[in-house]
Amino acid sequence: MRFAVAEHDAALAEAAGEVLTKQAGAEQIRAGWPGGRTEGVDAVWRTLAGVGVTGALVPENADGVGLGLDENALAPLMEAFGRSGLPVPAAETVAVGAPLLAAAGAPQLPSVLRGSALLTVSLAPDAPVPFAARADLIAVPRGDELRLYSRDEVETEPVDSVDGSRRLARVHAPAGGGLLLAEGPAELAVAYRRGVLATAALLVGLGERMLELTVAHVRERHQFGVPVGSFQAVKHALADVELAVRFARPAVLAAGWAQAAGDPETAVRTSMAKVLASEAARKAARTAIQCHGAMGYTTEYDLHLYAKRAWALAGDWGGPAEHREFIARRLGLGLAGASGIVSEGTGT
Amino acid sequence: MDLTWSPEEEAFRQEAREWLAANVPANPLPSGDTREGFAAHLEWERALFEARWSVVSWPEAYGGRDASLWQWLVFEDEYHRAGAPARVTQNGIFLLAPTVFAFGTQEQQRRILPRMAAAQDLWAQGWSEPGAGSDLAGIRSRAVRDEGAGGWRLTGQKTWTTRGAFCTHLFGLFRTDPEAERHRGLTYFLVPLDAPGVTVRGFERLDGDEGFAEVFLDDVLVSDGDVLGGVGEGWRVAMATTGSERGLTLRSPGRFLHTADRLLDLARAKGPGARRDRDRVVQSWIEAQAYELFTLEQVTSIVEGRQVGAESSLNKLFWSQLDIALHETAAELLGPEAEVDGSWSRGFLFSLAGPIYAGTNEIQRNIVAERLLGLPRR
C-alpha cells in the first residue's frame, strides 16, 4: 500500500505546471472567450504539447512521447490544468481523444500531438460539445460508436455558455463517414471513465485555485479595521472549502489508480471522484464569491473565470446526481429503467 | 500509487478475521457507558489482551504485536466489520499511551503500559473543567508542591469525564504556576482515583447513559513519579498528542465504513425509495470511502516520515460530520421506527457528541483556517 503520487507520474504534471504558471494567466482565459484572440492560448498549448502533455497516454509506437504513463499520471496533470484555467480541451484531448486516435491509427494523430490541430470529444449524445466552436477535429457518438470528423464534415451551431471560454457548439454529424474511434460498451466505458477522471481532477485544481485567490484576498482586505480573514465566519467558510477539496483529492487519485490497475471497483471509484470533486468545486466557487463580497460579483475581477469553469465542469461528464444514481444501482439501491451516459458508458 | 495490501498485511487480516469471527460476542454487549455494561466490556477487553489484540501497534514487551500503522488499520477495519464491541479502554490506549510512549520515563512506561494493555488500570481523561472545555488553557485545577510529603497536592474539579465513574485512574492538566501565562505553568499529572481526597460523581449524558463523571480533587497527594513530561510542560506534552484524539488513531475509517455498510443494508431492506433518500444514502457511503482514502494518504505520509500536524483537524471535522450524516440518513429511512431505542437511535445520539468532544468543530475550523490556510488570528 502506498497512497502517494509516484515521482514519474508527478514529473509531467510539474513540467506542465511550470509552463502554465509562467504563460497562462487570467488574460489567457479571457482570450478564450468569444471575440478574444486565441493565438496566445494556442501557443501555450503547443508548448505543452512539446513537453509531451498531449501524448501522455499515447504509447511510443504510436508517435507518443513514450513516457510510459497511465491514468496515475492523469490526475496530477489535470490538476495543474485546472489550477491554470487555460481554455483548452485538456480532458478531451489528453485523457480521451489522443489515446483513441492512437489505437485507431488515425492519420490526424501527429498534428494533435504537436498541438497544431485542436481536438475535442464528447461522449454525451445530443449535448453541446465543448470547444466544438473552434476545434479542428471533433469526435462525437453515433449510435454505439464514437466517430472522428474534421470540422468541415459536420455542421456546428455555436451555443452561448456560462463559461464563454468553453466555446460550446451543438454538432450535427452525418450517420456515416468519419473515422471509427471506438465501439461497443466496453471501449466506450474506458474512454468515458478517463474523461470523468480528468474532469474531476480539473475540478480539484480549480477548487484549490479559487481557495488560494480567496485566502489572499481576505488577508489583505480590511473592514472594521481588521483583515476580513480574521472574522470567524469567514474562517469557517474557507475551512469548509479546504475540507471539501482535501477530501476530494485522494478520491480522484484513487480513481486514477483504479483505472490504471484495472481494479474491479473502477467504475464506482470514478463516479465517487466526480461526485466529490464536483461538490467541492461548487462549494469553493460559491464561498469564494461570498468572501470576495461585491468584487466577486463582477466580471472585472478574475474570480468569475474560475467559478464559471467550475460550474461548467461540475455538470459535464455526468453531474453529481447522475453519478450518485449510478453508484446507487451498483450498490443494489437503484431503480429499474434509469438510463444515461453514466450507465451506458460504465455498464461493463 | 498502489492501493493493494501486501501478502503480509493480508495474512494479518486473515488472522484477525478468524480470531474475531470465533470470539466476538454473539449478542451485542450492553452499553459500556453503564456500570453493568462496563463490567461486561472488561471481560471482552481481557479476552482481547489474552490473544494479544488489545494493543496491536505496541511493542511485544508491553503486550502488543509490534504491528505497523498499516496492519493497525487493517485490524481496525476487521474489528468494526466483525461488529466487535466499542473499546471502553480507548481513552487510555489511544489518548494517554501515545503520550507515555513519547514523554514517559522508562519507569513510567513499565509501570503504566502493561497494566493498561491488560485492562487492569482503566484510564479516564481529565482535561475539561466546568469553566474550560475547548478553551483548555483556561483550566483552574491546581497542583501545589508539598516538599514535606515529597509530592504534589491537587485541588480542583474535572468534568464531562467519559466513563470516569468506572475508571481507576485519571490523566489531566493542572496549573502548577498561577503566575505564568495561560499556556505555561501547566503540568500533566497521573492520578489514581482511589487516592484520599478524590470524589467521583457520575451523571447522565444526552443518551441517558451514566457515561459522564465529575471528579472533585481535594488536596490529593500524588508523587513526582506521577508527573508526565516535566513540571510546567503540560501544554506542550498535551498538544503533542492531541492529534491522536482528533485524527486517525481515535477514529480509524473502519467504524464509518461499517456503519455505511449497515446503512446500505437498511436501504436495501427498505426497497428503492425516493430518489432523494437514495441520494443521501449514496452520498454518506461515498463520504465514508473518502474518509478511508484520505486516511490512507495520511498514513503513507506518516510512514514516509512526514509530519501530520493540523491536518488532524480535517479528520475530526470530516468524521464527526460524516457520523451524523450516516445516522440522520438512517433515521430518514426508518421513519417512525427511528425513535425506537436501538443501535441506530443510540448511534445517532452518540454522533451528536462528535462535533463537541476532542475540541469543538468551531475550534477545529479555526485551526484549519489559521494553520493550514494562513488566515490571521485576530
Side-chain angles (χ1 to χ4, degrees):
Chain A
M1 178 76 61
R2 183 174 188 274
F3 198 114
V5 178
E7 227 167 88
H8 59 275
D9 288 323
L12 183 62
E14 276 162 26
E18 264 174 51
V19 173
L20 288 164
T21 307
K22 280 194 198 125
Q23 301 182 26
E27 218 175 297
Q28 306 291 349
I29 311 178
R30 289 178 194 276
W33 285 60
R37 297 174 59 85
T38 53
E39 291 87 343
V41 176
D42 295 337
V44 179
W45 185 235
R46 281 195 302 274
T47 305
L48 291 163
V51 180
V53 166
T54 44
L57 298 193
V58 173
E60 195 169 16
N61 60 15
D63 289 336
V65 280
L67 295 171
L69 297 177
D70 55 26
E71 290 90 343
N72 274 307
L74 204 50
L77 178 61
M78 289 297 137
E79 271 180 45
F81 270 101
R83 296 178 64 82
S84 82
L86 187 70
V88 289
E92 289 77 6
T93 300
V94 181
V96 187
L100 289 176
L101 261 63
Q108 299 93 329
L109 180 65
S111 58
V112 168
L113 294 183
R114 279 197 306 274
S116 55
L118 197 65
L119 164 70
T120 191
V121 183
S122 174
L123 293 183
D126 308 322
V129 178
F131 301 98
R134 73 179 197 90
D136 306 298
L137 299 164
I138 302 171
V140 286
R142 305 300 294 159
D144 207 13
E145 300 174 344
L146 182 71
R147 289 188 164 266
L148 177 70
Y149 301 90
S150 63
R151 79 169 296 102
D152 54 12
E153 289 177 286
V154 295
E155 200 185 306
T156 53
E157 187 191 325
V159 182
D160 286 339
S161 65
V162 173
D163 173 0
S165 72
R166 294 256 294 161
R167 307 303 301 273
L168 292 184
R170 295 195 187 277
V171 175
H172 306 285
L179 174 71
L180 180 66
L181 286 185
E183 63 180 329
E187 280 184 25
L188 289 174
V190 171
Y192 178 72
R193 284 180 207 140
R194 284 177 167 172
V196 176
L197 168 66
T199 307
L202 286 167
L203 285 160
V204 168
L206 275 164
E208 284 174 352
R209 182 61 179 270
M210 287 186 281
L211 184 56
E212 277 172 19
L213 284 171
T214 311
V215 165
H217 173 73
V218 301
R219 283 163 59 101
E220 292 304 315
R221 173 82 168 165
H222 281 61
Q223 296 277 272
F224 306 104
V226 291
V228 168
S230 67
F231 297 136
Q232 190 156 269
V234 172
K235 284 181 180 171
H236 288 192
L238 292 177
D240 281 340
V241 174
E242 169 79 352
L243 189 69
V245 174
R246 288 287 292 269
F247 275 81
R249 193 169 180 270
V252 173
L253 292 175
W257 170 81
Q259 292 189 14
D263 180 72
E265 295 306 315
T266 298
V268 167
R269 284 187 188 270
T270 303
S271 286
M272 260 175 55
K274 185 60 165 58
V275 170
L276 290 161
S278 295
E279 304 278 25
R282 278 181 177 159
K283 187 191 276 273
R286 201 163 61 227
T287 309
I289 289 172
Q290 179 68 26
C291 290
H292 275 81
M295 255 175 87
Y297 200 72
T298 69
T299 59
E300 294 188 349
Y301 188 68
D302 295 337
L303 178 62
H304 81 108
L305 299 169
Y306 303 96
K308 286 171 177 169
R309 183 72 56 78
W311 293 322
L313 294 180
D316 203 10
W317 295 90
E322 200 176 351
H323 283 284
R324 272 195 294 261
E325 200 55 20
F326 167 73
I327 295 172
R329 286 197 303 280
R330 270 303 175 90
L331 295 176
L333 308 177
L335 287 178
S339 66
I341 181 70
V342 177
S343 57
E344 289 169 19
T346 51
T348 51
Chain B
M1 292 281 292
D2 180 11
L3 301 192
T4 50
W5 297 104
S6 72
E8 291 75 23
E9 284 147 4
E10 288 293 359
F12 188 82
R13 179 187 296 280
Q14 198 54 36
E15 191 186 348
R17 181 176 294 179
E18 282 168 17
W19 187 84
L20 289 162
N23 291 280
V24 168
N27 296 312
L29 301 181
S31 166
D33 295 323
T34 60
R35 192 165 288 281
E36 317 75 63
F38 191 78
H41 276 261
L42 282 189
E43 276 183 48
W44 166 249
E45 287 292 333
R46 284 170 187 146
L48 273 177
F49 172 73
E50 292 300 323
R52 285 194 311 121
W53 292 113
S54 75
V55 286
V56 293
S57 59
W58 290 16
E60 291 181 11
Y62 296 141
R65 288 176 179 250
D66 249 326
S68 70
L69 203 43
W70 292 120
Q71 286 174 319
W72 174 78
L73 265 187
V74 164
F75 175 72
E76 285 283 309
D77 189 26
E78 289 301 319
Y79 191 88
H80 289 286
R81 272 183 207 289
R87 303 292 304 273
V88 295
T89 50
Q90 67 178 12
N91 282 355
I93 292 171
F94 295 135
L95 305 185
L96 173 59
T99 315
V100 174
F101 278 116
F103 296 95
T105 61
Q106 279 201 355
E107 185 278 323
Q108 285 174 326
Q109 293 178 354
R110 277 197 294 264
R111 172 161 53 97
I112 295 166
L113 295 170
R115 292 184 58 81
M116 184 193 289
Q120 288 167 312
D121 291 345
L122 301 155
W123 289 88
Q125 186 186 48
W127 286 14
S128 295
E129 298 187 0
S134 284
D135 180 15
L136 190 58
I139 61 165
R140 288 201 293 262
S141 290
R142 62 184 193 276
V144 179
R145 182 77 195 151
D146 183 337
E147 290 299 344
W152 296 83
R153 297 213 171 260
L154 275 43
T155 301
Q157 182 188 354
K158 299 289 179 179
T159 193
W160 309 307
T161 305
T162 299
R163 290 183 283 272
F166 323 132
C167 287
T168 60
H169 288 72
L170 180 91
F171 60 94
L173 293 180
F174 292 78
R175 193 163 294 284
T176 38
D177 182 356
E179 305 298 317
E181 258 184 274
R182 274 160 44 94
H183 295 81
R184 304 174 200 282
L186 295 173
T187 301
Y188 199 127
F189 280 99
L190 307 169
V191 189
L193 286 173
D194 61 359
V198 176
T199 311
V200 179
R201 184 187 80 88
F203 62 101
E204 270 191 16
R205 304 188 310 198
L206 182 67
D207 58 12
D209 286 352
E210 204 185 279
F212 271 164
E214 295 180 290
V215 180
F216 301 90
L217 301 112
D218 182 15
D219 222 22
V220 177
L221 181 70
V222 296
S223 73
D224 284 326
D226 293 321
V227 171
L228 187 58
V231 175
E233 297 291 324
W235 183 260
R236 187 176 68 85
V237 172
M239 286 307 111
T241 47
T242 48
S244 335
E245 183 175 19
R246 292 166 190 159
L248 63 98
T249 59
L250 183 62
R251 291 291 174 259
S252 64
R255 67 148 61 193
F256 305 108
L257 292 168
H258 172 61
T259 308
D261 284 345
R262 282 175 55 224
L263 182 63
L264 285 186
D265 289 341
L266 179 65
R268 288 188 195 111
K270 289 275 167 189
R275 177 163 182 161
R276 185 175 162 277
D277 287 343
R278 236 173 22 252
D279 225 43
R280 288 181 68 171
V281 171
V282 171
Q283 185 65 28
S284 307
W285 183 85
I286 289 174
E287 287 174 9
Q289 316 304 309
Y291 184 63
E292 183 186 34
L293 294 170
F294 182 81
T295 304
L296 297 178
E297 194 181 48
Q298 247 183 352
V299 171
T300 301
S301 262
I302 295 168
V303 167
E304 295 185 352
R306 286 184 293 275
Q307 291 286 323
V308 171
E311 275 85 359
S312 64
S313 293
L314 291 171
N315 287 70
K316 205 261 165 168
L317 285 165
F318 198 87
W319 63 248
S320 60
Q321 294 178 168
L322 167 61
D323 204 24
I324 291 177
L326 287 162
H327 286 89
E328 280 187 344
T329 305
E332 198 72 15
L333 296 179
L334 285 164
E337 294 289 318
E339 69 169 303
V340 175
D341 187 30
S343 62
W344 283 115
S345 57
R346 299 188 69 84
F348 168 67
L349 290 177
F350 183 67
S351 75
L352 296 174
I356 300 170
Y357 68 80
T360 60
N361 280 12
E362 285 68 29
I363 296 289
Q364 305 309 320
R365 286 193 171 86
N366 287 349
I367 293 172
V368 170
E370 289 164 14
R371 301 203 206 142
L372 296 181
L373 298 178
L375 294 182
R377 278 185 70 87
R378 290 232 156 63

